[in-house]
Amino acid sequence: MIRTTLPATAGVGFKPEHFDALRADRFPGFLEVHAENYMGAGGPPHAMLTALRRDHALSVHGVGLSIGGAGPLDRDHLQRLRVLCDRYQPESFSEHLAWSTHEGAFLNDLLPLPYTAETLARVAEHVDETQTALQRRLLLENPATYVTFAESDVPETAFLAEIARRTGCGLLLDVNNVFVSATNHGWSAEAYLADFPVAHVGEIHLAGHAQDEDDAGRPLLVDAHGAAVASEVWALYERLLDRTGPLPTLIEWDNDVPEWPTLAAEAHRAQQALDRASRSRRAA
Amino acid sequence: MSPAGGVARERGFAHALLDAAAATPEGLIGRDGAAPVRRFAVYRNNVTVGLIDALATRFPVVRAIVGEACFTGLARGYARANPPRSPLMHLYGASFPTFLAEAVGLEELDYLPDVSRLESARVHAYHAADATPLDVSAFAALDPGVLGDLRLSLHPSLTLVRSHHPVATIWAMNAGAIPLEPIGDWRGEDVAVVRPRLEVEVLPLSPGAATFLDALDRGVAFADAAVEGVEATGGPVPHDALVGLARLVQAGLVVGLTQGVTP
């Protein structure tokens, strides 16, 4: 099993429109790509990724495996992931605690699941199967959710900790998702992070969210990846680093993608936080 | 809950995502037990908007022709009835041209399905396998007498789009490649959509050329393919097939050749 790790620097989700600017800027961080965007046979996507791979650590982030689904994993898709990871040898491969495919229909969103002993066993099987197929350790990401399930009887943090314990997988901690879910469900984001099994975290995600209202007129945050990281999320992130020390940190910005300097500035801010965390570690 | 229960839960959830009139699934709760209707609507909106955006990315010229509001309505109808069957979103919308051909209210835009086929071919070409086009020098060593027996391998990114409408002109005008103006001479056009290197190209074809290329792609020898092409135009067979060969090579369409082998 390959257990490589990303450098504890600030990376960005790569968008093809940033290819030239990112290179001209000699961006020093790692890059993350959505696996499914590089599953064509050839063409510009592979030409760009091949060029970028020479200069950057790489995280391959799957959005379509449906690890949280009740049905079996798509073997063809596992094989495509295997081919992609073999080709680019990424430092990290990650997927989501969510489902997206039901009986062959791909719904193109990260959908929620109840947390029970039954779903825990199923997700653990899927993580095992994925790690075996890829011969790599997987990082599983905590979701942003808008509803919960009446049948859930395991807290999300305990669910993730148990998956990591059973399968040996790592975790991807999305701090924006924590803030979004905590706001939506009336949890404490601080308490969630205090409970989170941070020893398993191989990568942090930071992203922007949008604000709506629920049926009772209370704030309903949507994990839209279309804005700058919110100040509350930066604060949670910085307090987390005080506890953990520097961790590989990715800025995700997938919709209304800004010009490169705006994205680079977000990464720079994360890098400053990582540098501070690194200095206070050394001083301690 | 049993695994079968999990499948049933997902089925209810998936059904309600794609049917705007469906009730919010059972078993979901909002904050403090409040109704989860607006909360479930976030998922429904994510799915629908995500699929509409995927179609808008794949069919920008269709969208430009019908306008954003009309396109969104069409795409929503298509997406709810035809969710993707694969997580590879660049493959999504393969049956959108057929859907457009059957859509009520678009009868006057009878050229629209062919425009969408051209756009679909562009996305296919973008992601298709790479292959290095042959250079003219690859033909230099050949005996000119055997050129007619050559079988050519065409670029794997190639799609031929054949239309009774001026599909290349309509596409180019609405893609901003040429000025938008009335088309006086409304006649059928065929195009080759291909990506010889990194740029996707839309090459207008002269009459008969699509038949000729299609024959080559089936493995028909060069001279016989040329005859098929010319017969398709109803014109006389020219003597100089070399000119056609040179054009194909120049356009980067030829990636391999075999000589005198019967398939």
Side-chain angles (χ1 to χ4, degrees):
Chain A
M1 178 98 61
I2 299 175
R3 290 177 69 103
T4 50
T5 51
L6 292 165
T9 58
V12 296
F14 170 66
K15 298 290 151 198
E17 55 265 48
H18 293 150
F19 181 76
D20 292 328
L22 179 159
R23 283 156 63 89
D25 215 12
R26 297 182 182 280
F27 176 67
F30 68 94
L31 300 178
E32 183 163 288
V33 295
H34 287 179
E36 286 72 12
N37 291 341
Y38 296 84
M39 287 185 174
H46 287 292
M48 281 189 264
L49 192 53
T50 301
L52 293 169
R53 184 70 186 101
R54 291 188 209 113
D55 301 325
H56 296 272
L58 179 67
S59 163
V60 168
H61 190 52
V63 297
L65 189 55
S66 204
I67 279 183
L73 292 183
D74 177 347
R75 295 280 164 85
D76 292 340
H77 199 59
L78 273 179
Q79 179 58 26
R80 288 190 286 262
L81 288 168
R82 170 79 197 248
V83 167
L84 188 67
C85 287
D86 284 352
R87 179 166 178 179
Y88 292 103
Q89 297 292 330
E91 277 77 7
S92 174
F93 171 73
S94 48
E95 251 286 355
H96 299 83
L97 178 59
W99 62 281
S100 49
T101 297
H102 175 72
E103 290 178 341
F106 176 67
L107 296 159
N108 195 35
D109 194 24
L110 299 166
L111 301 165
L113 59 147
Y115 301 138
T116 65
E118 185 89 41
T119 59
L120 205 155
R122 172 61 81 172
V123 172
E125 272 174 37
H126 286 170
V127 170
D128 264 339
E129 187 181 349
T130 306
Q131 294 190 132
T132 303
L134 301 186
Q135 284 298 299
R136 276 167 198 279
R137 183 175 184 233
L138 173 156
L139 304 183
L140 190 64
E141 177 175 346
N142 61 298
T145 56
Y146 312 111
V147 297
T148 53
F149 291 82
E151 63 182 294
S152 285
D153 55 10
V154 182
E156 189 171 282
T157 47
F159 192 94
L160 286 163
E162 182 59 12
I163 297 288
R165 191 190 69 77
R166 285 193 199 178
T167 66
C169 78
L171 299 174
L172 194 169
L173 173 52
D174 187 315
V175 180
N176 180 59
N177 287 355
V178 172
F179 183 71
V180 165
S181 293
T183 305
N184 291 346
H185 305 308
W187 307 334
S188 154
E190 292 283 1
Y192 182 102
L193 289 171
D195 289 342
F196 201 88
V198 289
H200 296 292
V201 172
E203 185 185 351
I204 301 274
H205 272 182
L206 301 174
H209 54 252
Q211 185 154 351
D212 199 352
E213 277 183 2
D214 77 355
D215 301 81
R218 285 173 303 209
L220 180 63
L221 302 186
V222 179
D223 178 33
H225 292 192
V229 178
S231 58
E232 299 96 324
V233 173
W234 281 117
L236 287 170
Y237 169 63
E238 287 167 13
R239 284 201 292 279
L240 175 74
L241 292 186
D242 288 343
R243 253 169 79 206
T244 62
L247 286 167
T249 302
L250 184 92
I251 306 291
E252 289 184 294
W253 200 323
D254 296 316
N255 297 303
D256 298 323
V257 175
E259 297 287 315
W260 168 250
T262 304
L263 183 59
E266 292 277 280
H268 182 66
R269 183 165 173 186
Q271 187 60 53
Q272 286 179 317
L274 290 167
D275 292 344
R276 276 195 301 277
S278 180
R279 280 196 298 274
S280 64
R281 285 263 128 169
R282 281 200 300 273
Chain B
M1 182 180 280
S2 66
V7 171
R9 165 177 45 73
E10 282 181 7
R11 184 180 300 127
F13 204 104
H15 169 75
L17 287 172
L18 294 170
D19 180 356
T24 301
E26 298 287 313
L28 302 182
I29 43 181
R31 184 174 166 180
D32 305 330
V37 176
R38 288 183 64 104
R39 291 163 173 271
F40 184 76
V42 174
Y43 292 109
R44 187 181 268 151
N45 186 60
N46 281 352
V47 170
T48 309
V49 171
L51 297 181
I52 292 170
D53 285 352
L55 293 167
T57 302
R58 186 161 186 174
F59 301 102
V61 168
V62 170
R63 184 168 174 262
I65 290 171
V66 301
E68 185 174 346
C70 175
F71 184 86
T72 299
L74 287 166
R76 185 184 294 116
Y78 176 79
R80 286 185 173 154
N82 305 276
R85 302 298 298 177
S86 158
L88 307 194
M89 289 304 290
H90 67 266
L91 302 178
Y92 185 50
S95 61
F96 195 56
T98 313
F99 175 86
L100 291 177
E102 292 164 359
V104 176
L106 291 181
E107 292 80 1
E108 287 200 1
L109 303 179
D110 53 355
Y111 53 85
L112 206 56
D114 286 348
V115 174
S116 69
R117 282 185 193 99
L118 191 158
E119 295 206 277
S120 214
R122 282 173 52 84
V123 174
H124 167 77
Y126 186 81
H127 290 281
D130 299 316
T132 309
L134 289 185
D135 186 77
V136 139
S137 62
F139 297 84
L142 296 174
D143 174 357
V146 303
L147 287 176
D149 297 329
L150 287 181
R151 288 180 170 79
L152 306 180
S153 304
L154 302 183
H155 201 282
S157 65
L158 174 68
T159 304
L160 300 170
V161 180
R162 311 175 71 163
S163 178
H164 297 300
H165 306 285
V167 66
T169 306
I170 295 168
W171 175 81
M173 282 182 177
N174 289 284
I178 58 173
L180 200 56
E181 55 188 42
I183 299 173
D185 186 13
W186 193 274
R187 62 171 73 190
E189 288 176 353
D190 301 337
V191 293
V193 179
V194 67
R195 181 180 53 77
R197 289 175 184 82
L198 287 176
E199 294 287 324
V200 176
E201 293 170 15
V202 176
L203 308 173
L205 298 173
S206 52
T211 301
F212 169 58
L213 286 169
D214 183 58
L216 288 177
D217 212 28
R218 295 196 317 270
V220 174
F222 186 81
D224 297 336
V227 170
E228 277 192 40
V230 172
E231 282 174 356
T233 69
V237 179
H239 299 292
D240 196 359
L242 269 177
V243 176
L245 183 57
R247 283 200 189 121
L248 287 182
V249 173
Q250 212 165 29
L253 292 183
V254 184
V255 298
L257 57 87
T258 49
Q259 195 182 343
V261 183
T262 309

